[in-house]
Amino acid sequence: MISAPLVIAVSFAYLLVLFAMAYFGDRRAEQGRSIIANSWTYALSMAVYCTAWTYFGSVGRAASDGVWFLPIYLGPTLALALSWLIILKMIRIAKAYRITSIADFIASRYGKSHLLGGLVTIITVIGIIPYIAIQLKAIATGYALLTHDSVDGFRAVHETHWFQDSTLYVALILAVFTILFGARHLDATERHEGMVAAIAFESVVKLVAFLAVGVFVTYGIYNGFGDIFSRIQAHPEYARLLSFEGASTAGYGGWFGMVLLAMFAVIFLPRQFQVTVVENVNEEHLRRAAWLFPLYLLLINIFVLPIAFGGLMHFGVGSVDPDTFVLSLPLSHGMEALALFVFVGGLSAATGMVIVETIAVSTMICNDLVMPWLLRSKRFSRSAHPDLSGLLLVIRRGAILIVVLLGYLYFRLAGEAYALVAIGLMSFAAVAQFAPAMLGGMYWRGGTREGALAGLLAGFGVWVYTLMLPSFAKSGWLDPAFLEHGLFGIELLKPEALFGLQGLDNISHALFWSLAANIGCYVFVSLMRAPSALEASQATLFVDVFKREGATATTLWRGSAEVRDLQQLVARFLGQGKTVRLFREYARQRGYAGINSIPADAGLVHFAETQLAGAIGSASARVMVASVAQEEPLGLDEVMNILDEASQVRAYSHQLEEKSRQLEAATEELRAANEQLKELDRLKDDIMSSVTHELRTPLTAIRALSEMMFEDPEIDLVERKRFLGIIVSETERLTRLVNQVLDLAKIESGHAEWHNTDIDMRELVEHAIDSTRQLFSDCGAELVVSLPEQAPKLLADRDRLHQVLLNLLSNAAKFVPKEGGHVRVELVSDDREVRVEVEDNGPGIAPQFLPYVFEKFRQGGDQRDRPQGTGLGLPISRQIIEHFGGRMWVESPPGRGACFAFALPLNKMRSDSADAEQ
Amino acid sequence: MRRGLARQRLVALFFAAAFLFNYPLLSLFDRSEQVFGLPVLFVYIFGAWASVIALIAWTVGRRKG
């Protein structure tokens, strides 16, 4: 037993921490440094799905039905697998049209209908209030268990007078908390950052607490999973819990129904819609949440079976409520601190649910029940309220308080009755009724207002008849006769075996009939008439939200309005200061000078309506805007025309975009080609000037010497012979130059002739050395040759390769020093290539000239000490080598001469030359 | 990877998971045998569940997807 003041103090301290979290979150949001703008917080806030009903009830369910507690968590995993299709679309629609609740979503989709919004709200309230009651009951039970003398034997939770009942105070504190962080000020987007921060924090607390008690039971009391499972098998009375068929009578159909139910619940429960869709900061966060939230569910369920079995073996059946095992097991083992922590975890689960659910439900009550009624009443519309934002807040706060108090009232009334125990799944089945209208609305254009109304009414009616009334009967509030004999004694109308359907548990039975009625009515009534203009336009906006991005909304409104009227209207609900800010922002975005210069066009009307929709719901916003703007009603044909036009325009603009993209690409190609041409032109000019320069030098010498001999016949014979010798050698140089230029041009243009034969590289190198031996002995250089025994044969043009070798060798002979010249020639081959290196010990090539030695007329070194040569030998050599698929390069470490080398591939050349021969 | 591919993978994953978690596959594991000292039914459900989560994480985790 733990003393009551301690439990209360700890609970209050925990709630204070929550206040602090939420306050911190709100402050950071105001400073623009959101703490919830990350996918982790987003996924954790989704875990508000795990309420006290699952926190305590999972173990209870596992203790009676074995593995049957799991469908409630497998369903969300399936739903989250589809989140990128369904939830993303809901988020996009909600953001585009400022939708803040499921009621508003359905109302807006089916022509902004007040009636639908109201109906959805009423279904939600009836389905959800008992669910809030279980949360309060869980807190009360946990508190009683902690402060009671012994874990068994306590039963009476609510036998105290209501003003002594701590649960009432818990409810009131929760209401205050919810008001502070859910309805402190009006926000057109209905987002509550502080609340989300607190909810994410609560999710962490409840997970850690549950894992703590799980580890304690599994490893503290027993020796791990294997130990618990082997021990439970020794009890024949629990053996049925280990099998699927034995644990429950619902069968595989029931299992499937439960998974489906949980799938719908995780998308359509008001609190899930609130955290998943309304509070979503960034669509990208959905990516991580899609696996993180299911992982959270997996983790929180790992220890459910061990705790349930541990509790069953410790307490036996009947002495202690299995729902309280998480608390009673640590308590009975004297672990009071752990029990207190687990209680705080349960408190987290319960408060989180109550807070988010009441915020979501209060938004619905305010926007879809109270506002439509207020706007319609004559007294209200006659009185000139300048500012209604205060009134809106009062309505929201009142709704929160009323919802929490209704929950408390239900808890007091129902207490231990069956109606409370079964309510979790009943609530799920109630919200599952939204699925046809929601999913149909997002993917099918044909749904109409009447269709949605009929579907919801039929589904909800069946739900009341097959689930709610039987639960009342089982609680003793109704005569149970109709349960056993059917309504008016007609067997076929037995609520839990409607039309004789048997073999399903009551939840799956109700789910089947209610969804069948719901979908049937929705589809058939929808198909009875074509959608009206408003329905068709809303359907297009919802179904095509990814394609249209809200741009079409403004084209679907025609009429006239005054900026001043619209501004005053928005200010009535959002407050003067905020409205001016919003309109200024609108003007700035559209590029207008100020509020006064905004044209009162469809865009502005749409903007005003969207702002109002966030605060008072889309249906009311439409009514309010219609009161200040003169709309010309559009017929269905006109709407369809506009939509067709819009889609045609979109198709055209798409084609245009495609065309302009192609044009851009073509222009880019042309520009690149032009650049290349210009570059080639420049190169051609360079070569022309180089060639003429190279031609002029020998021509000048020839001309000067010839003129001298022509003008002066007196020159002696020796001199004349010398001159003639120079003329001959210069002419030879000219011929060589012209030949080489022609040669290079041929190779570059691909017109050169290649005579490919099998060549023995060793033999070729030896031949080249023999032809140049005289050169080397002339300049007194030592020639070192290193050739392998065997060299592979190549298929190439022998004369060309010979030319390359001669060029390299004669270059080396030119550059070796007069004294101690040394040239090394080496032939190396491996299985891939043959490499030839010619190294001299001359002055080498300065690093700045290295990149240019293979360019035309760019002999290494500066102009003054250029050796004899045309400056085309190396470029030609490189072209030849590259023609055969090889590469040529030079290395010249400063002060150590130069080493020219080339390598020819063995295989590549064969195929190349084969091509050449064909 | 194209955006559409990730969506198709997720839909395929959804159907695979629905298949794994329902009759008749589930009934194959409803037997009294044990693996690692644990009932085969629980090992199967939790194992399949964890794999589905891992596959979702892998599919949505690829940024370009």
Side-chain angles (χ1 to χ4, degrees):
Chain A
M1 176 194 160
I2 305 170
S3 72
L6 178 65
V7 178
I8 292 172
V10 168
S11 309
F12 266 94
Y14 176 70
L15 286 178
L16 278 179
V17 171
L18 273 194
F19 272 93
M21 274 306 288
Y23 185 70
F24 178 64
D26 269 346
R27 283 293 300 276
R28 288 283 293 259
E30 281 160 21
Q31 297 164 359
R33 296 184 298 147
S34 171
I35 50 169
I36 72 158
N38 68 73
S39 47
W40 294 90
T41 320
Y42 181 61
L44 282 173
S45 69
M46 277 190 193
V48 73
Y49 181 74
C50 297
T51 65
W53 178 62
T54 57
Y55 189 87
F56 297 110
S58 280
V59 173
R61 200 171 161 87
S64 68
D65 294 347
V67 76
W68 281 77
F69 70 98
L70 273 175
I72 302 304
Y73 306 97
L74 294 177
T77 307
L78 290 180
L80 268 284
L82 287 185
S83 61
W84 206 241
L85 280 88
I86 296 174
I87 297 180
L88 184 70
K89 193 163 192 179
M90 284 165 67
I91 293 176
R92 190 66 70 83
I93 291 171
K95 279 192 180 156
Y97 312 116
R98 287 284 161 82
I99 284 165
T100 53
S101 68
I102 291 208
D104 206 18
F105 194 104
I106 293 180
S108 174
R109 162 63 182 83
Y110 298 100
K112 303 185 181 174
S113 152
H114 275 143
L115 198 57
L116 262 178
L119 178 63
V120 172
T121 307
I122 289 169
I123 296 176
T124 309
V125 171
I126 294 176
I128 290 303
I129 284 200
Y131 203 175
I132 291 175
I134 344 176
Q135 311 302 319
L136 300 176
K137 183 195 169 205
I139 298 176
T141 312
Y143 172 74
L145 195 69
L146 282 185
T147 55
H148 205 270
D149 290 338
S150 68
V151 289
D152 47 334
F154 100 93
R155 271 277 172 259
V157 175
H158 56 284
E159 278 168 12
T160 48
H161 204 272
W162 64 267
F163 61 81
Q164 294 171 325
D165 186 355
S166 54
T167 318
L168 174 63
Y169 301 107
V170 171
L172 287 176
I173 290 167
L174 281 182
V176 170
F177 181 89
T178 313
I179 286 168
L180 271 181
F181 291 97
R184 198 171 38 158
H185 52 81
L186 262 194
D187 181 54
T189 55
E190 274 309 311
R191 292 194 41 240
H192 314 85
E193 296 228 339
M195 185 268 287
V196 174
I199 295 305
F201 174 70
E202 294 208 292
S203 293
V204 175
V205 172
K206 69 191 176 201
L207 179 63
V208 173
F210 199 86
L211 289 179
V213 67
V215 169
F216 167 70
V217 172
T218 315
Y219 296 100
I221 306 181
Y222 299 93
N223 290 320
F225 287 94
D227 183 38
I228 291 186
F229 282 108
S230 61
R231 283 193 197 204
I232 197 81
Q233 271 165 337
H235 294 259
E237 69 267 32
Y238 301 133
R240 62 170 195 89
L241 292 179
L242 294 173
S243 81
F244 185 91
E245 303 265 23
S248 169
T249 54
Y252 289 103
W255 176 276
F256 173 80
M258 218 93 82
V259 172
L260 186 70
L261 197 59
M263 253 183 79
F264 287 147
V266 84
I267 302 177
F268 300 120
L269 273 171
R271 63 172 187 280
Q272 294 304 127
F273 188 86
Q274 182 78 29
V275 293
T276 319
V277 177
V278 180
E279 307 285 354
N280 175 276
V281 182
N282 181 345
E283 286 171 3
E284 283 296 310
H285 293 170
L286 201 54
R287 279 179 189 278
R288 185 167 284 151
W291 60 268
L292 200 58
F293 172 49
L295 184 64
Y296 182 98
L297 296 179
L298 177 80
L299 287 178
I300 208 166
N301 277 303
I302 282 181
F303 289 109
V304 167
L305 283 166
I307 297 174
F309 291 160
L312 282 176
M313 286 188 282
H314 188 79
F315 298 110
V317 179
S319 64
V320 171
D321 183 1
D323 281 358
T324 65
F325 278 170
V326 284
L327 284 174
S328 46
L329 271 175
L331 275 182
S332 67
H333 286 83
M335 301 286 288
E336 293 186 340
L338 179 63
L340 195 57
F341 181 45
V342 172
F343 174 72
V344 170
L347 197 63
S348 293
T351 53
M353 183 276 179
V354 173
I355 290 165
V356 185
E357 203 83 86
T358 45
I359 287 180
V361 175
S362 76
T363 311
M364 285 192 202
I365 293 180
C366 170
N367 289 1
D368 296 284
L369 277 184
V370 180
M371 283 319 288
W373 173 75
L374 264 185
L375 295 178
R376 206 163 292 176
S377 75
K378 290 246 161 49
R379 232 183 53 204
F380 178 82
S381 49
R382 262 187 276 126
S383 61
H385 293 281
D387 188 344
L388 291 176
S389 58
L391 179 68
L392 271 178
L393 273 181
V394 170
I395 296 173
R396 296 249 167 117
R397 290 170 184 168
I400 289 173
L401 196 63
I402 288 170
V403 169
V404 174
L405 286 181
L406 279 177
Y408 173 72
L409 194 69
Y410 196 88
F411 158 73
R412 290 286 298 187
L413 286 176
E416 295 295 323
Y418 172 84
L420 200 51
V421 183
I423 195 63
L425 285 172
M426 277 175 57
S427 286
F428 280 20
V431 297
Q433 302 310 320
F434 303 146
M438 290 282 288
L439 293 176
M442 283 195 287
Y443 295 97
W444 181 43
R445 285 162 218 262
T448 64
R449 191 178 75 110
E450 285 86 351
L453 266 176
L456 282 172
L457 276 175
F460 183 61
V462 174
W463 177 82
V464 168
Y465 186 68
T466 56
L467 272 183
M468 198 171 93
L469 293 184
S471 84
F472 284 180
K474 286 175 191 170
S475 311
W477 302 341
L478 283 176
D479 179 13
F482 84 106
L483 254 185
E484 281 153 39
H485 308 296
L487 198 63
F488 312 124
I490 304 169
E491 281 283 317
L492 282 182
L493 292 183
K494 267 163 63 173
E496 296 198 326
L498 202 58
F499 307 123
L501 180 68
Q502 289 187 342
L504 285 174
D505 62 313
N506 62 336
I507 296 288
S508 311
H509 170 266
L511 186 71
F512 171 76
W513 280 122
S514 61
L515 279 185
N518 190 332
I519 296 171
C521 289
Y522 172 64
V523 173
F524 283 110
V525 176
S526 288
L527 291 177
M528 277 166 65
R529 68 166 173 82
S532 71
L534 189 55
E535 282 165 349
S537 58
Q538 287 301 103
T540 308
L541 295 184
F542 274 53
V543 174
D544 291 343
V545 67
F546 288 111
K547 295 184 205 148
R548 295 185 185 259
E549 298 289 341
T552 327
T554 54
T555 64
L556 289 169
W557 193 88
R558 220 176 273 166
S560 59
E562 293 285 327
V563 179
R564 215 160 44 89
D565 292 345
L566 286 171
Q567 193 184 342
Q568 272 175 2
L569 178 71
V570 176
R572 275 180 82 185
F573 293 98
L574 291 180
Q576 194 66 45
K578 187 158 190 172
T579 305
V580 172
R581 266 207 309 282
L582 283 171
F583 273 65
R584 276 211 190 110
E585 178 66 11
Y586 175 80
R588 202 180 55 73
Q589 278 178 357
R590 303 290 159 109
Y592 302 121
I595 296 178
N596 293 328
S597 50
I598 303 176
D601 58 3
L604 181 70
V605 172
H606 178 68
F607 170 76
E609 193 178 324
T610 316
Q611 298 307 316
L612 281 180
I616 60 174
S618 56
S620 301
R622 181 180 169 79
V623 172
M624 291 319 294
V625 167
S627 70
V628 298
Q630 282 72 48
E631 182 181 359
E632 295 168 21
L634 291 177
L636 177 63
D637 289 342
E638 277 177 283
V639 169
M640 293 325 276
N641 282 342
I642 291 171
L643 291 179
D644 280 353
E645 240 169 70
S647 55
Q648 273 173 13
V649 166
R650 223 178 29 257
Y652 284 143
S653 80
H654 187 70
Q655 280 177 2
L656 271 179
E657 267 175 32
E658 194 61 31
K659 282 253 166 62
S660 81
R661 244 199 307 280
Q662 285 170 356
L663 271 178
E664 254 171 47
T667 316
E668 197 51 45
E669 273 173 36
L670 278 177
R671 186 174 300 132
N674 193 30
E675 283 301 313
Q676 209 181 343
L677 279 178
K678 273 191 198 158
E679 174 70 15
L680 284 177
D681 193 48
R682 198 179 57 73
L683 276 179
K684 190 202 71 188
D685 285 350
D686 283 358
I687 289 175
M688 283 299 284
S689 68
S690 303
V691 168
T692 40
H693 177 78
E694 295 295 326
L695 289 175
R696 204 170 50 203
T697 321
L699 269 182
T700 316
I702 293 169
R703 185 176 167 201
L705 292 174
S706 324
E707 277 176 358
M708 271 164 76
M709 287 192 292
F710 180 70
E711 280 161 14
D712 185 6
E714 304 290 299
I715 298 178
D716 64 41
L717 197 64
V718 179
E719 192 78 336
R720 190 172 297 207
K721 236 181 168 170
R722 197 174 66 84
F723 282 1
L724 283 172
I726 294 175
I727 289 174
V728 169
S729 83
E730 286 299 297
T731 335
E732 277 171 357
R733 188 175 160 194
L734 265 179
T735 316
R736 206 164 57 235
L737 185 68
V738 170
N739 280 342
Q740 282 186 338
V741 169
L742 287 175
D743 213 20
L744 191 63
K746 264 192 201 163
I747 297 178
E748 279 187 340
S749 65
H751 293 308
E753 285 176 24
W754 305 88
H755 304 285
N756 289 347
T757 50
D758 269 330
I759 304 168
D760 181 351
M761 272 311 272
R762 186 187 143 89
E763 186 267 327
L764 186 68
V765 173
E766 274 177 341
H767 180 68
I769 288 170
D770 283 343
S771 347
T772 47
R773 203 171 287 282
Q774 188 58 39
L775 265 178
F776 287 104
S777 58
D778 283 353
C779 60
E782 179 196 5
L783 189 62
V784 180
V785 183
S786 128
L787 302 176
E789 287 295 312
Q790 277 279 303
K793 286 218 161 79
L794 300 168
L795 190 63
D797 188 318
R798 187 186 158 85
D799 290 344
R800 294 288 186 184
L801 285 189
H802 192 239
Q803 184 187 347
V804 173
L805 283 168
L806 282 187
N807 184 269
L808 292 188
L809 287 168
S810 58
N811 264 355
K814 266 180 239 164
F815 288 104
V816 283
K818 291 278 173 289
E819 300 288 320
H822 181 94
V823 174
R824 182 180 64 84
V825 180
E826 189 174 11
L827 174 67
V828 189
S829 74
D830 55 27
D831 50 348
R832 279 182 297 115
E833 57 180 25
V834 175
R835 202 168 69 238
V836 175
E837 287 179 6
V838 178
E839 190 178 11
D840 62 56
N841 64 342
I845 301 161
Q848 68 265 35
F849 294 116
L850 265 181
Y852 305 113
V853 289
F854 290 108
E855 285 187 18
K856 296 162 196 133
F857 305 111
R858 294 290 292 265
Q859 286 160 316
D862 49 36
Q863 295 286 331
R864 269 170 299 133
D865 50 41
R866 281 163 74 129
Q868 283 289 304
T870 57
L872 285 174
L874 283 173
I876 290 177
S877 301
R878 184 179 232 188
Q879 289 278 352
I880 293 171
I881 295 298
E882 284 176 356
H883 173 81
F884 290 117
R887 62 209 151 82
M888 190 166 199
W889 69 95
V890 60
E891 284 162 13
S892 180
R896 293 200 9 224
C899 174
F900 282 87
F902 64 86
L904 289 166
L906 289 175
N907 301 329
K908 172 95 167 63
M909 260 172 47
R910 291 211 172 270
S911 62
D912 265 12
S913 35
D915 289 346
E917 276 172 347
Q918 275 167 10
Chain B
M1 188 164 72
R2 299 264 320 268
R3 193 182 201 87
L5 191 55
R7 291 163 74 107
Q8 290 173 40
R9 283 184 182 162
L10 286 173
V11 174
L13 205 53
F14 166 78
F15 283 109
F19 178 68
L20 288 176
F21 293 147
N22 274 297
Y23 183 82
L25 218 53
L26 209 52
S27 69
L28 296 183
F29 297 90
D30 188 17
R31 49 178 75 185
S32 53
E33 284 149 41
Q34 299 208 332
V35 270
F36 316 121
L38 305 171
V40 67
L41 180 66
F42 304 146
V43 174
Y44 167 70
I45 293 183
F46 276 95
W49 192 4
S51 327
V52 169
I53 293 171
L55 282 173
I56 296 177
W58 177 79
T59 312
V60 298
R62 314 182 113 208
R63 275 275 138 198
K64 292 273 175 340

